[in-house]
Amino acid sequence: MSNQGKVWSYSAFAVILAGSVTLAGCSKAVDPVAATSSPTGITGSAVPISDAPYELKWLKGQDISKPYDPSKDLIMHTIEKKLNIKIIPEMVDVQQYKTKLNLKMSSGDIPDVVRIDFADDFQKYAQQGAFYDLTNLINEKDTPNILKEVPKEVFEQAKVNGKIYGIPYQGGPGAGYRWNLVLRKDYLESAGTQVPKTLDEYYDLLKKIKAAKPDVIPLGGYTAQIGQQKYANNSFDHIFGAFGVTPGYFTEKNGTFSNYDIDPKMKDALLYLQKMYAEGLIDKEFATIKEEQLRAKLFSGKLFSWMGWWSTPNDYDTQVETNELKKSGKLATDGKLPDQSFQPLKYLTLTDSIVGSDGKAVAPAGAPFGQMHAISAKTKDPKKVLSIIENSLSLENQMLTVWGIEGEDYKIDNGKMKLVTDLLDPKTQQDKNGNFRGVQSYLFAPGLKGWPRYLESLPLRQSQALDVAINNKFQITDASNYLDSPTKIAKLVELNTMRDSVFTQIIMGADGKKFDEFVEKWKSQGGTQILSELEASFKKKSGM
């Protein structure tokens, strides 16, 4: 699971799909080898045939638990030929990407194209002069593909000190919340009840599950991943949300800012979680275990519910079924089940936010864009790198960088794209010819609209899960998005670390007075200054 975390209606599905079709109709693929470029190297997004391949240093996050050899990555080499580049990949464990990138930024050894996952980091490094100023290079004439993907108003939001230092990216089509409350359907049915809609219904259900199945954990949680400290990794979003709060988010009303971390309703939510924890409704290990350990509990039947990233139920459902068949002795001799991603979920069921006593909730959606791709100020030829990015965003080249080679990695069947799911050996991660095929890996600066033909590529289970997530009507965004606050950049990690510790202590039984003490410390240790700076920035951008 990617800790995209609090980042990214099915009416939106239709809108996004229409956007993909529009993109397909507007984008004109360019052969970067056969085409010619302007004297600037940008106009027309083409690369002269006489050019030697441009060497592009690339920090590539990789799941190091799986076999991979970049020298045998067929997709990478195909992209190199298509864009006339030579990729110099530096592999890093995907969970250590942020840590590694921070080290490289500090040392000045900055990759040619940099992916920044956190807005505060991007603002900090941009102000330090780490990235090339693209303000005068992003325009309809020179970068039409980029502007088809990223509207001008989004570039305005992403500016740092009035300048463009990077290309916004969302992480996939659409913006919004991407988490679902996932429950064991068979346990729910055995309790003789329906999917809960309110916090009271959910609490009563957890009590029933605990009474009927003492060895099952009613609600599981797990700790942060991918190197970014983050409270409970969304584990209790549904509980906090029912109280009308969510950890970490800034709020704005009539130009006045605050933060949910210091909201009195947050204290109420924490004390409610404390009661749940004391009654054995929450996993005692929620503050220390990793996601893979939570998965083990789920697969073995020891977990009833948890907050899950939208794309996980497909495989998780199959794993649960595998273990159930193993228990009953009905599992096939090879221990495998066929691909069931195009079948309805059998053991899991999903729902969006549960509501509080007022019938409302909040679900912490991400900003309209969650990542930035910037060009290093130290790169040999920044304009050349921008022309490569522009080329990569033609429809033809996006299909390659996202999905791979047509007829091999994917096929177009009756006008609809279908991924080839049995191309790679799951053990070796290679095809029959010994090639690795790292699709969705070489997105040098993908656009805000997301991957082309993405929605039609999803199997049934994933489309249903995404449907539930993005149709959550209680989504909110952080009011501090794109506002300037030097103190927020300097102090927020420290404040969040303090919050994580105090909130966890309260859930596990500490006196509620700790919350009041935390509020005062939060304010005195930078919080009040952050709020003041956000208000000033808000007034400036609003023309007040």
Side-chain angles (χ1 to χ4, degrees):
M1 177 191 306
S2 169
N3 184 21
Q4 294 87 322
K6 296 185 177 178
V7 180
W8 273 27
S9 319
Y10 219 44
S11 58
F13 244 150
V15 171
I16 297 166
L17 183 56
S20 298
V21 173
T22 301
L23 177 62
C26 294
S27 297
K28 183 177 181 181
V30 178
D31 185 338
V33 177
T36 57
S37 71
S38 73
T40 65
I42 298 178
T43 302
S45 64
V47 180
I49 192 169
S50 59
D51 277 3
Y54 187 90
E55 290 192 352
L56 198 72
K57 290 190 296 181
W58 180 254
L59 185 65
K60 186 176 188 299
Q62 187 73 24
D63 182 353
I64 62 173
S65 68
K66 296 181 179 179
Y68 177 73
D69 179 355
S71 70
K72 298 180 180 179
D73 189 331
L74 178 62
I75 306 303
M76 184 179 81
H77 296 320
T78 305
I79 291 169
E80 287 178 322
K81 292 178 182 178
K82 197 76 166 59
L83 298 180
N84 197 27
I85 60 177
K86 175 63 178 176
I87 298 173
I88 312 297
E90 180 177 348
M91 315 308 294
V92 59
D93 180 0
V94 67
Q95 296 197 27
Q96 297 300 317
Y97 179 86
K98 177 180 170 64
T99 301
K100 181 68 173 180
L101 179 60
N102 286 341
L103 289 173
K104 296 185 78 65
M105 298 296 291
S106 299
S107 68
D109 181 22
I110 306 173
D112 291 302
V113 181
V114 184
R115 190 197 84 213
I116 305 290
D117 293 336
F118 302 96
D120 289 347
D121 286 347
F122 174 73
Q123 291 181 332
K124 176 178 68 177
Y125 292 134
Q127 292 179 42
Q128 292 173 356
F131 308 134
Y132 192 77
D133 182 358
L134 304 175
T135 309
N136 296 324
L137 301 180
I138 302 294
N139 55 69
E140 294 284 358
K141 178 183 177 183
D142 296 330
T143 57
N145 288 331
I146 291 174
L147 287 177
K148 284 174 185 173
E149 290 289 310
V150 186
K152 291 180 180 179
E153 58 269 23
V154 175
F155 273 116
E156 284 295 320
Q157 292 178 313
K159 283 183 176 179
V160 177
N161 295 331
K163 296 183 177 181
I164 296 173
Y165 288 103
I167 301 172
Y169 173 49
Q170 197 163 59
Y177 195 51
R178 289 294 178 270
W179 296 80
N180 293 315
L181 176 59
V182 187
L183 310 96
R184 278 287 296 260
K185 186 191 305 183
D186 51 337
Y187 293 177
L188 186 68
E189 292 171 349
S190 68
T193 187
Q194 303 294 317
V195 174
K197 295 185 180 299
T198 69
L199 182 58
D200 287 343
E201 290 174 356
Y202 180 63
Y203 173 79
D204 291 342
L205 173 59
L206 298 188
K207 296 282 285 186
K208 283 185 179 181
I209 295 297
K210 180 172 177 57
K213 300 179 180 292
D215 60 338
V216 172
I217 300 166
L219 171 59
Y222 57 98
T223 57
Q225 296 190 28
I226 317 184
Q228 176 71 359
Q229 185 69 21
K230 189 165 175 302
Y231 180 71
N233 208 64
N234 299 78
S235 294
F236 305 134
D237 272 359
H238 56 316
I239 307 297
F240 288 122
F243 280 87
V245 294
T246 191
Y249 270 41
F250 287 87
T251 63
E252 177 271 325
K253 186 175 182 180
N254 299 324
T256 300
F257 279 70
S258 187
N259 189 292
Y260 280 130
D261 287 351
I262 59 173
D263 192 305
K265 292 181 293 186
M266 180 62 76
K267 182 177 182 179
D268 296 337
L270 290 169
L271 293 178
Y272 192 91
L273 284 164
Q274 184 184 84
K275 178 183 75 169
M276 294 177 65
Y277 183 85
E279 293 175 352
L281 302 181
I282 295 174
D283 189 354
K284 298 296 183 183
E285 299 181 303
F286 83 89
T288 57
I289 70 170
K290 300 296 183 184
E291 187 204 353
E292 57 267 25
Q293 295 169 300
L294 176 136
R295 289 200 303 263
K297 293 182 179 183
L298 170 68
F299 299 163
S300 64
K302 301 296 184 182
L303 179 64
F304 169 62
S305 69
W306 93 105
M307 289 300 296
W309 184 246
W310 72 271
S311 62
T312 57
N314 171 34
D315 181 59
Y316 288 10
D317 195 282
T318 299
Q319 292 291 340
V320 170
E321 182 179 8
T322 299
N323 276 279
E324 292 297 326
L325 290 173
K326 187 182 296 184
K327 290 177 186 176
S328 64
K330 298 179 180 179
L331 185 64
T333 54
D334 63 2
K336 296 180 180 178
L337 293 177
D339 176 22
Q340 301 188 74
S341 59
F342 289 90
Q343 299 178 18
L345 294 169
K346 296 179 181 179
Y347 283 87
L348 303 178
T349 191
L350 315 169
T351 187
D352 56 12
S353 294
I354 54 177
V355 300
S357 57
D358 59 357
K360 298 179 181 179
V362 298
F369 52 91
Q371 296 177 352
M372 296 291 292
H373 284 70
I375 296 174
S376 168
K378 294 186 176 182
T379 198
K380 180 175 60 177
D381 188 346
K383 292 184 178 180
K384 180 72 169 183
V385 175
L386 184 61
S387 74
I388 293 168
I389 292 172
E390 169 67 12
N391 257 344
S392 75
L393 288 177
S394 73
L395 178 59
E396 178 183 346
N397 289 334
Q398 281 196 71
M399 290 298 292
L400 173 62
T401 58
V402 173
W403 303 121
I405 300 171
E406 183 177 353
E408 298 180 30
D409 298 280
Y410 70 92
K411 298 177 181 179
I412 305 298
D413 187 2
N414 292 323
K416 185 175 181 180
M417 188 183 82
K418 291 186 178 180
L419 299 179
V420 178
T421 58
D422 58 355
L423 188 63
L424 301 182
D425 183 311
K427 292 183 179 180
T428 66
Q429 300 297 309
Q430 292 172 283
D431 63 18
K432 62 182 181 181
N433 297 317
N435 296 312
F436 293 92
R437 311 179 75 100
V439 295
Q440 297 184 4
S441 296
Y442 296 96
L443 305 173
F444 304 112
L448 189 70
K449 293 181 180 177
W451 309 332
R453 309 190 76 149
Y454 174 72
L455 297 172
E456 67 184 86
S457 74
L458 291 178
L460 176 64
R461 287 183 177 179
Q462 289 197 356
S463 65
Q464 289 178 334
L466 185 57
D467 182 14
V468 172
I470 67 177
N471 269 321
N472 190 321
K473 65 182 180 181
F474 298 109
Q475 298 181 52
I476 62 165
T477 57
D478 189 326
S480 70
N481 288 335
Y482 322 119
L483 296 179
D484 299 323
S485 171
T487 306
K488 180 170 176 273
I489 293 173
K491 290 286 189 177
L492 194 60
V493 171
E494 178 184 326
L495 293 176
N496 287 349
T497 300
M498 176 172 61
R499 173 203 65 206
D500 294 349
S501 175
V502 172
F503 284 14
T504 301
Q505 290 176 51
I506 293 174
I507 292 172
M508 298 178 75
D511 195 311
K513 292 180 180 178
K514 275 188 169 292
F515 179 81
D516 305 317
E517 296 169 358
F518 159 75
V519 170
E520 293 307 312
K521 288 181 179 179
W522 189 94
K523 292 179 178 178
S524 64
Q525 294 180 17
T528 297
Q529 182 63 26
I530 292 173
L531 298 179
S532 177
E533 291 170 358
L534 291 175
E535 289 171 8
S537 178
F538 178 80
K539 290 178 181 178
K540 182 178 179 181
K541 288 199 171 187
S542 301
M544 298 171 63

